[in-house]
Amino acid sequence: MYGRYTQDLGTFAKDEAARLRLQQERWDGGGRPRRPSELLEYSQGRCAPCRVCAVQCQQFLISKVGEDWIFLILLGLVMALVSWAMDFAIATCLQAQKWMYGGLDTNVLLQYLAWVTYPTVLITFSAGFTQILAPQAVGSGIPEMKTILRGVVLKEYLTLKTFVAKVIGLTCALGSGMPLGKEGPFVHIASMCAALISRFLSLFGGIYENEARNIEMLAAACAVGVGCCFAAPIGGVLFSIEVTSTFFAVRNYWRGFFAATFSAFIFRVLAVWNKDEETITALFKTRFRLDYPFDLQELPAFAVIGIASGFGGALFVYLNRKIVQFMRRQKTINRFLMKKRLLFPALVTLVISTLTFPPGFGQFMAGQLTQKDTLVTLFDNQTWAKQGLSEEYMGLLEAWHHPRSNVFVTLIVFILMKFWMSALATTIPVPCGAFMPVFVIGAAFGRLVGESMAAWFPDGIHTDSTTHRIVPGGYAVVGAAALSGAVTHTVSTAVIVFELTGQISHILPVMIAVILANTVAQSLQPSLYDSIIRIKKLPYLPELGWGHHEKYNMRVEDIMVRDIRYVTLNCKYRDLQHVLQSTKMKSLALVESAESMILLGSIERTQVVALLSQQLSAERRLQALRDKALAEHEGTAKDGRRLSDTGVRFQISTEASSSAPARGGARKPLKPALKRVPSVLAESAQGEWGPCPRPPPPGTRPCGPDALPAAAAAASDHSGIALKSLFCANASTEPAEAQGTAQRKTKHVRISLSRGGTLPTAPRPLYQVLEWEEQQLDQPVDFSSAKIDPAPFQLVEHTSLHKTHTVFSLLGLDHAYVTSIGRLVGMVSLKEV
């Protein structure tokens, strides 16, 4: 049990060799291999050879190509179709809003009503549909995936119901035109696709029944979600690793790249098939000059963008968290919003859509542009300050030029308004992300710096009598990567930007800005996803953080819990009962004795409950009742007849002390004790252990267990159920009781034996049940039937906190025992780390 072999290793090896030899002889016995048993059902009929050939081809394909490839192809294909269908539906919704707004140009009031009502209805429907079908679909999904990939089981987060709610709710939310993103929800959607496909393939058997294998597939699915969202497979893999994994297994690397590349390819092919694109190109293709993209003297400006983006990203995370905490801490607001769940998203949508109304305040912040149109204009390589408008984007660029203000005022108003709007909009209870709004705000900030540089140096920066004009679109690319990287604490946003724009000319400025932004943001605030994890109090171990050098000097003995509950090898069942009542730990330490404290292993709480329930089970009480009745009968028998062991058959019935008619044919065999239905056994046991009041009417609880002391009631849930069914069940089967009497008379028990007489006994009170349970609780525990982990994870007292944190993150532990020369001295859990 404690690491010892249950069978000698040599004997086991001989038996295994004999089994393999016999199997080989059966294979080669007929001169040719026998047909496998699973192919026998296909070997009959006219088309038997074809069916057998098809099954063999399938087995050969799976064995040679591998199940991983089939799974990843299915995952990439499904996610590409989902992404394309959702983009098509979102574009249709946004086009409908523009059509409604343009068709009512004769009346500004009707335009305002159409502009405000349309997104409000969509957001309200998304919030209501998600809340009714699957509340787990609310939000981004990346914080939950970080927790799931760590090994924590979150119920209902990877089900078909959540998938449907997430897809429909996200489509309506993005179709409303609110400043929301789809990158985070797509990571969750891809993970749900992977879980559902694994569950489907597990019906046919194979490797997908393994839980560890499913975790690896979920890691690949996170990369697919980003890859098919931006058509950026390389950046998607790197981004998924950074935001979902503390430690990443290299063996999953190729899975993520293969599935993400296949998904991005199918996603862009569908765009070409729908005639949205002529060929497979970048999603936001730029036209920066390649011979001289930027001057070295512009690098300080790019560094300023990175540092400012770091402060901006930390401010965004702080603002988002404060909004959520304010609504949760204000009890009046929280109580009101809990009753009116759809009121908050409707109000937020109403305010934001009112401020973005194009004829109103929206004319100063390009309110009529969607997120995609905004990015297309911000990445333009023309200089707006000099009115160098590109003819191709003339219609879109007009939104940034107001006759009563210049482009700088428009960009500043856009950045300030979108900043708090995005922080507020991401708190509404709909499926949404924050990556794309932050990406757009960063692009606008970079564009502002680029336009300022172009205004300060209208002819460009002179180098060796050569003039190269400044490209503000390059600054927009740098700002987008920097701010999104600061909010998410990732560097892979640089790679995503390269794949989105299709150009790598600004790789040096982008990397400088992203690294500086991460340096500033990580020293001020956690990432947006870690902030949400803290708000939701998910069981995830955060990073140690920067600038906390004193944490590296701490040891396990400084943070461990010394007063822990344990189970000794020679303990009694009463000790198990006390341990269960005093702690809620899922596993308990098993030590040799309270004096030595030598750690032998750990036992799960469910196993302890099972041991206690088995000791106080109804079967054991019935057996004790039978043994006691047999002993009394043998002691009082006067005729000298010896009872046969095979002939003893108990029949328990009750009779009233008054002149009640005897029932000769009412005796039935003994029934199981755990049955809740009325039975003769229940009635007879009731009479044996004491009188019980009249059975309660339907819908009320029977009497008996309510009168038991707390010590007996808390022994076990199962023992409580057994007491109800055994000693106080409803005795409605009695014909005399069916007629009803004013008072129940005292009953006697008749225990009848086959070929023997009856033994009338006096009524006995319920305290004898407690006496029997007290006797059972005082017996030593038998651990032979329990499953015990002989090697739980252990640490020594002088282990550093940094090493402990690394071990917990790498192995996904939730607790570890602290030992000193084999002796248990404490325990460390996630809470202490």
Side-chain angles (χ1 to χ4, degrees), residues 101 112 115 351-369 398-402 405 410 413-414 417-418 421:
Y101 171 77
Y112 171 74
W115 183 269
V351 171
I352 294 177
S353 57
T354 300
L355 292 175
T356 57
F357 182 53
F361 191 74
Q363 60 184 333
F364 299 101
M365 51 182 294
Q368 67 267 36
L369 295 182
E398 286 181 353
W400 296 99
H401 294 275
H402 193 272
S405 65
T410 306
V413 173
F414 177 86
M417 297 299 293
K418 287 291 184 180
M421 284 181 183

Side-chain angles (χ1 to χ4, degrees), residues 505-516:
S505 57
H506 285 74
I507 180 172
L508 183 60
V510 167
M511 291 303 301
I512 291 175
V514 169
I515 291 175
L516 289 176

Side-chain angles (χ1 to χ4, degrees), residues 157-348:
Y157 268 94
L158 299 176
T159 59
L160 179 61
K161 183 171 61 174
T162 310
F163 174 80
V164 174
K166 194 86 170 183
V167 171
I168 298 178
L170 181 62
T171 303
C172 295
L174 296 181
S176 65
M178 289 292 101
L180 303 172
K182 70 171 186 176
E183 176 264 344
F186 256 75
V187 173
H188 190 193
I189 290 173
S191 302
M192 288 186 285
C193 273
L196 294 174
I197 294 175
S198 297
R199 196 175 306 167
F200 173 74
L201 294 179
S202 64
L203 298 177
F204 306 97
I207 59 176
Y208 300 105
E209 298 175 354
N210 190 349
E211 181 181 358
R213 195 72 168 187
N214 291 333
I215 295 295
E216 294 182 355
M217 294 306 167
L218 287 179
C222 293
V224 175
V226 185
C228 68
C229 182
F230 297 125
I234 301 176
V237 173
L238 299 179
F239 185 84
S240 67
I241 293 174
E242 286 188 278
V243 299
T244 60
S245 304
T246 304
F247 293 93
F248 188 79
V250 182
R251 63 177 177 271
N252 296 332
Y253 216 49
W254 72 270
R255 294 188 179 96
F257 273 114
F258 175 78
T261 303
F262 184 78
S263 179
F265 171 74
I266 297 298
F267 175 66
R268 298 306 292 163
V269 165
L270 289 173
V272 176
W273 172 77
N274 199 39
K275 298 181 181 180
D276 297 332
E277 301 285 347
E278 295 181 359
T279 184
I280 297 179
T281 57
L283 210 57
F284 300 99
K285 188 173 180 58
T286 56
R287 299 172 178 83
F288 303 147
R289 60 173 182 261
L290 300 178
D291 54 344
Y292 201 87
F294 62 92
D295 194 283
L296 288 179
Q297 299 181 29
E298 299 179 53
L299 290 181
F302 294 127
V304 169
I305 292 177
I307 296 174
S309 297
F311 285 104
L315 180 61
F316 184 87
V317 175
Y318 177 80
L319 181 61
N320 180 273
R321 184 171 65 252
K322 285 302 179 182
I323 292 174
V324 177
Q325 291 178 350
F326 173 77
M327 292 187 298
R328 290 192 175 187
R329 290 175 180 174
Q330 296 295 328
K331 295 183 179 179
T332 305
I333 299 178
N334 190 16
R335 193 180 304 112
F336 178 74
L337 293 180
M338 289 297 292
K339 293 181 180 178
K340 310 291 184 181
R341 294 180 181 271
L342 303 182
L343 184 61
F344 175 67
L347 288 177
V348 172

Side-chain angles (χ1 to χ4, degrees), residues 4 365 367 632:
R4 303 188 184 98
M365 51 182 294
E632 290 179 358

Side-chain angles (χ1 to χ4, degrees), residues 308-483:
S309 297
F311 285 104
L315 180 61
F316 184 87
V317 175
Y318 177 80
L319 181 61
N320 180 273
R321 184 171 65 252
K322 285 302 179 182
I323 292 174
V324 177
Q325 291 178 350
F326 173 77
M327 292 187 298
R328 290 192 175 187
R329 290 175 180 174
Q330 296 295 328
K331 295 183 179 179
T332 305
I333 299 178
N334 190 16
R335 193 180 304 112
F336 178 74
L337 293 180
M338 289 297 292
K339 293 181 180 178
K340 310 291 184 181
R341 294 180 181 271
L342 303 182
L343 184 61
F344 175 67
L347 288 177
V348 172
T349 308
L350 180 64
V351 171
I352 294 177
S353 57
T354 300
L355 292 175
T356 57
F357 182 53
F361 191 74
Q363 60 184 333
F364 299 101
M365 51 182 294
Q368 67 267 36
L369 295 182
T370 63
Q371 286 187 355
K372 184 176 181 180
D373 295 338
T374 303
L375 280 178
V376 169
T377 54
L378 291 175
F379 289 164
D380 183 35
N381 57 351
Q382 300 295 326
T383 304
W384 297 352
K386 299 179 65 176
Q387 301 296 325
L389 299 180
S390 175
E391 294 182 359
E392 184 176 353
Y393 299 114
M394 187 67 181
L396 297 178
L397 288 177
E398 286 181 353
W400 296 99
H401 294 275
H402 193 272
R404 285 174 286 181
S405 65
N406 54 22
V407 68
F408 298 102
V409 175
T410 306
L411 285 172
I412 292 174
V413 173
F414 177 86
I415 293 170
L416 295 178
M417 297 299 293
K418 287 291 184 180
F419 192 86
W420 70 265
M421 284 181 183
S422 301
L424 178 62
T426 51
T427 62
I428 60 179
V430 295
C432 63
F435 185 87
M436 281 303 293
V438 170
F439 194 83
V440 173
I441 295 171
F445 176 70
R447 186 78 194 194
L448 177 63
V449 176
E451 293 292 343
S452 303
M453 290 289 294
W456 292 336
F457 303 98
D459 296 330
I461 299 178
H462 299 275
T463 303
D464 297 334
S465 68
T466 304
T467 301
H468 296 281
R469 295 184 181 274
I470 293 176
V471 182
Y475 288 80
V477 172
V478 174
L483 187 60

